[in-house]
Amino acid sequence: MIPLSLAVVLIAVGCGGGGDDEPAAKASTTPTTSAPGAKANTPAFIDILECESAGGTGTAKGTIENQGTEPVAYELTMGFHDGSGKELVTGSATTEVVAPGAEVEWTVTASGLGSVSTDDVVCKTATLKPVSGGASATTEPQGSSDEEFPCDLLTVDEVAQIAGNPLDGDATTSQVTENDRSWLARVCTWTGVGTGAAEEVTLSVTRNDAFPAGESACPPPMGDATPVAGIGAEAAWIWDDPGTTLKVGELRVCSPDAFVTVRVSGTSNEPQQRAVAKSVAVKALGGL
């Protein structure tokens, strides 16, 4: 079983495909230009590699290539649309600073898609803004300055043992949007290494004092959820089986120190995915 005003930059949007069990990301392509008032040296190219919907949550992943002449971080807002082209929800993420000619990975998630399936969801870039400093300088959860956080809350061997196969982790900073609430999360995405089956574990951590003033540090689950005992102060499990090979489960845990979610995506059944998610969450909470 989780970051964000300046002139807007119009960018090109590409699309990529996954394996046999992963539908190709769906997006339109437009020329790379700068909007009126935008910095001339901040053009960029976005490649959308994944566009999925599971359990009412949309997930988009890809890269941004800096086609300008100066290092820059980006604030990316992605729209999730249904098959008719109607925008359902948006989500945002802030990248780390990327050098000219280089690429940076991004992940955007947003809840509120309802029953729209991966086959019907379409991801389109809404805005791209240059951001001073980038995620590593401005959006790191308080108490952690390590760029590998939260991947470093578990060792490679621990993750492999829990998931049942080798996984490779990548840390990013993302802004999570659910209904009218948004918060920054530090995210580690572990993907399968050397396996044919689709497998992914995503850990998101937001320290409680990082939530906007006056807002609860324990956002309620979107959709139907099952309470889970024995972890944190409060926990809930959400399971989605769309009837395909790929199944998705998400464990949401509220603790005195942080809000933690673990999303498991793969071919395992519900008890197996829930066990993986709970084990990862317990290890993560123990390391905070």
Side-chain angles (χ1 to χ4, degrees):
M1 307 40 271
I2 356 104
L4 327 193
S5 262
L6 301 174
V8 176
V9 178
L10 299 181
I11 42 73
V13 181
C15 60
D20 294 339
D21 294 327
E22 294 185 16
K26 297 173 283 297
S28 59
T29 302
T30 55
T32 302
T33 60
S34 292
K39 292 182 178 181
N41 61 352
T42 56
F45 181 87
I46 291 184
D47 196 9
I48 302 174
L49 302 176
E50 294 184 22
C51 180
E52 300 177 341
S53 175
T57 299
T59 302
K61 297 181 180 181
T63 60
I64 299 176
E65 179 185 352
N66 181 357
Q67 296 184 335
T69 59
E70 296 179 1
V72 65
Y74 300 100
E75 179 184 317
L76 169 68
T77 300
M78 184 69 56
F80 294 85
H81 302 248
D82 63 16
S84 69
K86 178 183 177 181
E87 184 177 89
L88 304 175
V89 295
T90 61
S92 300
T94 300
T95 73
E96 298 181 357
V97 175
V98 57
E103 290 184 345
V104 63
E105 294 182 348
W106 54 266
T107 299
V108 173
T109 61
S111 297
L113 269 70
S115 60
V116 177
S117 68
T118 291
D119 291 338
D120 295 327
V121 70
V122 178
C123 296
K124 297 181 181 180
T125 305
T127 62
L128 185 71
K129 305 175 184 179
V131 179
S132 175
S136 61
T138 62
T139 60
E140 194 84 16
Q142 184 173 348
S144 174
S145 58
D146 187 351
E147 63 181 11
E148 295 303 318
F149 180 85
C151 293
D152 56 3
L153 293 176
L154 290 86
T155 67
V156 173
D157 289 341
E158 287 174 333
V159 173
Q161 183 177 8
I162 291 171
N165 59 264
L167 295 172
D168 184 31
D170 182 40
T172 58
T173 303
S174 178
Q175 178 170 331
V176 182
T177 301
E178 293 184 356
N179 289 332
D180 57 350
R181 296 194 59 189
S182 295
W183 62 90
L184 292 174
R186 189 66 178 166
V187 182
C188 182
T189 302
W190 287 284
T191 53
V193 177
T195 61
E199 186 69 46
E200 184 171 286
V201 178
T202 302
L203 168 66
S204 300
V205 179
T206 302
R207 298 188 184 277
N208 291 342
D209 56 8
F211 281 87
E215 290 193 2
S216 169
C218 186
M222 300 284 292
D224 296 333
T226 303
V228 178
I231 181 171
E234 181 180 342
W237 168 254
I238 303 170
W239 165 255
D240 181 63
D241 183 356
T244 63
T245 302
L246 187 67
K247 302 172 179 61
V248 179
E250 182 177 270
L251 178 64
R252 300 164 66 98
V253 183
C254 302
S255 78
D257 300 316
F259 175 60
V260 173
T261 68
V262 181
R263 187 174 185 264
V264 182
S265 173
T267 59
S268 301
N269 59 33
E270 181 176 5
Q272 291 171 327
Q273 287 197 354
R274 183 166 53 187
V276 170
K278 189 171 183 179
S279 297
V280 170
V282 167
K283 285 285 187 180
L285 289 169
L288 292 176

